[in-house]
Amino acid sequence: MSLTIVSLLPALQNTNGDAQNAQVLAMRAAWAGLDAEVIAVDDADRLPDRVDAVVLGSGSDASLEESRSRLLALHDELRRWGTEGVPILAVGTGWELLSWGVETGDGRSIEGLGILPGRAVPRTARVTGDLVVRSSAFGTLVGFENHARDYRGAEGSPLGRVLAGVGNGRDSGQEGVVMGSVYGTHLHGPVLAKNPAFADHLIGVMAERAGLGYTPGGRAAEVDAYASAARDAQSRAAGVEASAR
């Protein structure tokens, strides 16, 4: 059986390379001896019959309304996948579009798809820089945040606690949102390349739903050592002591 990973709207939602999270999932699955493929879906007509995971990256504010229009055609599928436990990873504006809605700095209000709780609201200034997060499920997560909005209304279900950076903002001390197997985050990187424990969790869910087993392959251990060193270096650069991680 081949696992199918859908990369949603990569032509519009890939300004930070976040669409490559789909390739990370496929490669790690392949290292474990599982057959996996990535299918780019820019409109509903290209949707495959089987979907085992979904990746939605981040785009610019200029593409928000077009991206929302295309995602709206997939609203029923996205809601069904979320309900059925299909892993969905949404980053940056991709996450915001799956929320209750987005308020932009120029006064626009864009209704979200309501797949995830919370709403994106303007900040007084854009935040860019290292983001280090402590997750009870995945340990230390690192990435780069670059957003002009805070996220409110997700306090009960964050991805983790901010150790360095801003995350969801509004002095929440939290980053991201989780609902079942649907994840929203500000972590760019791509996040799954820098944080293989997160990637392995998603692959494990994919495999289990497909009636397959998943154990990371030998190649993964070698790559993960590089990721761990990079994660430690980024954490130190952000001023996070080892004891806090």
Side-chain angles (χ1 to χ4, degrees):
M1 176 185 294
S2 178
L3 298 173
T4 302
I5 302 156
V6 166
S7 176
L8 275 183
L9 311 187
L12 291 172
Q13 299 290 125
N14 193 26
T15 55
N16 295 282
D18 301 306
Q20 301 311 309
N21 284 303
Q23 297 292 344
V24 174
L25 292 174
M27 184 61 70
R28 293 186 71 85
W31 291 340
L34 300 177
D35 189 18
E37 64 174 334
V38 175
I39 296 180
V41 174
D42 283 303
D43 58 64
D45 292 339
R46 296 179 179 271
L47 198 64
D49 293 334
R50 179 184 178 87
V51 175
D52 294 290
V54 177
V55 169
L56 175 60
S58 186
S60 68
D61 278 9
S63 67
L64 275 174
E65 294 185 10
E66 182 177 354
S67 291
R68 177 191 178 275
S69 177
R70 296 194 188 189
L71 289 173
L72 200 58
L74 293 164
H75 177 270
D76 291 347
E77 285 81 2
L78 282 161
R79 187 167 293 281
R80 175 171 55 81
W81 294 331
T83 300
E84 293 178 353
V86 173
I88 299 174
L89 173 64
V91 184
T93 64
W95 164 26
E96 293 177 349
L97 286 166
L98 296 189
S99 75
W100 296 333
V102 182
E103 298 174 15
T104 67
D106 59 8
R108 289 180 295 159
S109 181
I110 300 171
E111 185 177 358
L113 273 70
I115 307 298
L116 285 169
R119 188 174 187 86
V121 296
R123 293 177 51 81
T124 55
R126 174 175 289 275
V127 57
T128 59
D130 290 330
L131 178 58
V132 183
V133 178
R134 177 64 186 177
S135 165
S136 60
F138 311 122
T140 301
L141 301 175
V142 303
F144 186 81
E145 61 181 335
N146 177 12
H147 52 103
R149 286 177 287 274
D150 289 333
Y151 198 84
R152 66 184 186 194
E155 289 75 14
S157 53
L159 176 60
R161 176 173 59 89
V162 174
L163 301 180
V166 173
N168 293 354
R170 301 285 167 126
D171 298 320
S172 69
Q174 297 179 343
E175 160 54 22
V177 63
V178 181
M179 178 165 282
S181 291
V182 185
Y183 295 83
T185 184
H186 292 107
L187 289 163
H188 302 291
V191 59
L192 298 185
K194 290 187 173 184
N195 304 283
F198 192 2
D200 283 342
H201 171 76
L202 299 182
I203 300 170
V205 173
M206 291 164 55
E208 182 177 3
R209 294 187 73 255
L212 303 171
Y214 173 67
T215 300
R219 174 62 173 157
E222 178 183 348
V223 172
D224 293 355
Y226 292 112
S228 178
R231 204 161 47 251
D232 287 344
Q234 188 169 349
S235 296
R236 288 194 302 271
V240 177
E241 300 294 335
S243 59
R245 294 180 246 140

